Amino acid sequence: MAWFSKQKKVKAKESTPSAPPAPAAKGEGIWYKCDACENVVARAEWEKAWNVCPSCGQHDALPLRRRLDLVLDPGTFQELDAELTPQDPLGFVDSKRYRDRLRSTRKASGLRDAFVDGVGTIGGDQVSIGCFAFEFMGGSMGSVVGEKVARVFDRAYERRIPAIVFSSTGGARMQEGIFSLMQMAKTSAALNRFRAVRKPYVSVMLHPTTGGVAASFAWLGDVVIAEPKALIGFAGPRVIEQTIREKLPEGFQRSEFLLEHGMIDAIVPRPEMRDRLAQILGLLG
Ligand SMILES: [Zn+2]
């Protein structure tokens, strides 16, 4: 079994007396060890709880397909624009060539880029929906991601239905330079067009949502929701501290801090997400 042969990767760590011996590293094995509270639970139990720790409520990353399962009515998701594939307009090379990086990431993730979009229903009502995949180059927004986000709004405009976008991203994709940066304007313009049909756009910010995505459509939702303890902001806290040479307050840029300061509308735990979205769409849709 895969988890058995991978046990040698486990770092030597004291386990609690009640814990099963030698829990496997994250992403492997039949046990799951929470980073926040260090409790160990059966991986199946943790997965059934949508990757939320049953002991402390820590929200770990949820794979994109499961995210869609979580919020949409079962079997209603229809993926669109799946054929869009990123190019390498600048011939960009950092530690490796961008086109090689794309190829290997595509192979590892099974995705063509860091965003999947389409239509589905929530509580029986059709929505135009899109979701970032952080596992694909940090969920960075290049030309294809920007185009797909714009199409979420274009489709919602054409069909006169609500739009929902789940963001988890480091921001613009530096390998596409200015082509990435212009996606901020492009997606915001598409969103502005969509406003004419007077249907709601719900933006859900996941951990983390930063950079050019936070600075454009993610913060432009009619309703802006975040998952608990998500890091949300433009520049990261380390960069800000170095720039202003001041220590930032506890919990800065986390969902709870942002809610307290009026930057987001609600914090919704993952197991309640579908009901809350249905409620919002019922009120505004
Ligand atoms: Zn925990």
Side-chain angles (χ1 to χ4, degrees):
M1 287 170 83
W3 66 268
F4 191 76
S5 57
K6 284 175 184 168
Q7 280 201 350
K8 58 180 172 251
K9 279 189 189 171
V10 174
K11 284 182 202 156
K13 239 183 184 179
E14 291 279 313
S15 53
T16 55
S18 60
K26 207 159 188 173
E28 300 161 11
I30 60 169
W31 301 107
Y32 164 76
K33 184 172 183 181
C34 174
D35 278 347
C37 71
E38 304 209 325
N39 271 346
V40 177
V41 292
R43 175 165 293 274
E45 189 191 339
W46 170 74
E47 283 178 354
K48 204 172 148 211
W50 304 102
N51 297 12
V52 176
C53 172
S55 304
C56 72
Q58 159 91 358
H59 283 49
D60 277 304
L62 188 67
L64 185 148
R65 298 285 167 185
R66 292 208 68 217
R67 168 80 48 194
L68 297 170
D69 287 345
L70 167 72
V71 295
L72 293 173
D73 298 335
T76 61
F77 182 63
Q78 186 194 350
E79 184 175 354
L80 297 161
D81 310 318
E83 73 289 356
L84 294 183
T85 309
Q87 303 295 311
D88 180 15
L90 302 176
F92 195 90
V93 182
D94 47 68
S95 59
K96 64 181 184 183
R97 295 195 310 166
Y98 177 43
R99 68 187 59 195
D100 293 341
R101 199 181 284 279
L102 282 172
R103 198 174 304 129
S104 57
T105 312
R106 202 173 296 153
K107 211 168 154 193
S109 65
L111 297 162
R112 288 201 184 200
D113 208 331
F115 194 83
V116 166
D117 65 312
V119 289
T121 68
I122 295 179
D125 293 325
Q126 200 180 49
V127 292
S128 178
I129 191 166
C131 184
F132 275 81
F134 193 79
E135 64 269 30
F136 195 106
M137 295 187 69
S140 51
M141 179 165 66
S143 309
V144 164
V145 172
E147 173 66 19
K148 287 180 151 206
V149 172
R151 289 189 188 190
V152 168
F153 298 126
D154 288 348
R155 197 169 295 122
Y157 172 80
E158 285 156 16
R159 301 187 185 196
R160 288 168 162 58
I161 55 176
I164 301 177
V165 177
F166 290 86
S167 302
S168 61
T169 168
R173 184 172 298 171
M174 64 156 189
Q175 290 87 348
E176 291 186 28
I178 192 70
F179 295 103
S180 281
L181 295 182
M182 69 172 276
Q183 305 308 316
M184 295 168 68
K186 175 174 161 174
T187 52
S188 302
L191 169 58
N192 195 44
R193 249 189 329 268
F194 162 68
R195 300 274 191 221
V197 298
R198 305 180 73 81
K199 291 287 177 184
Y201 158 45
V202 183
S203 171
V204 185
M205 303 216 228
L206 311 170
H207 174 74
T209 297
T210 59
V213 172
S216 58
F217 62 89
W219 234 316
L220 294 174
D222 296 306
V223 180
V224 180
I225 292 175
E227 281 196 338
K229 294 188 183 157
L231 176 73
I232 298 164
F234 183 62
R238 194 164 40 88
V239 174
I240 298 175
E241 276 188 338
Q242 284 167 0
T243 308
I244 64 173
R245 293 163 199 270
E246 266 180 49
K247 188 105 188 77
L248 293 167
E250 184 70 24
F252 181 72
Q253 287 183 325
R254 295 285 169 174
S255 308
E256 294 71 16
F257 186 94
L258 296 168
L259 182 67
E260 203 175 305
H261 291 79
M263 296 294 285
I264 60 173
D265 297 306
I267 298 171
V268 178
R270 201 170 288 163
E272 296 168 25
M273 189 62 82
R274 184 206 296 250
D275 288 348
R276 287 294 287 276
L277 287 175
Q279 184 192 33
I280 291 165
L281 298 183
L283 290 169
L284 304 178

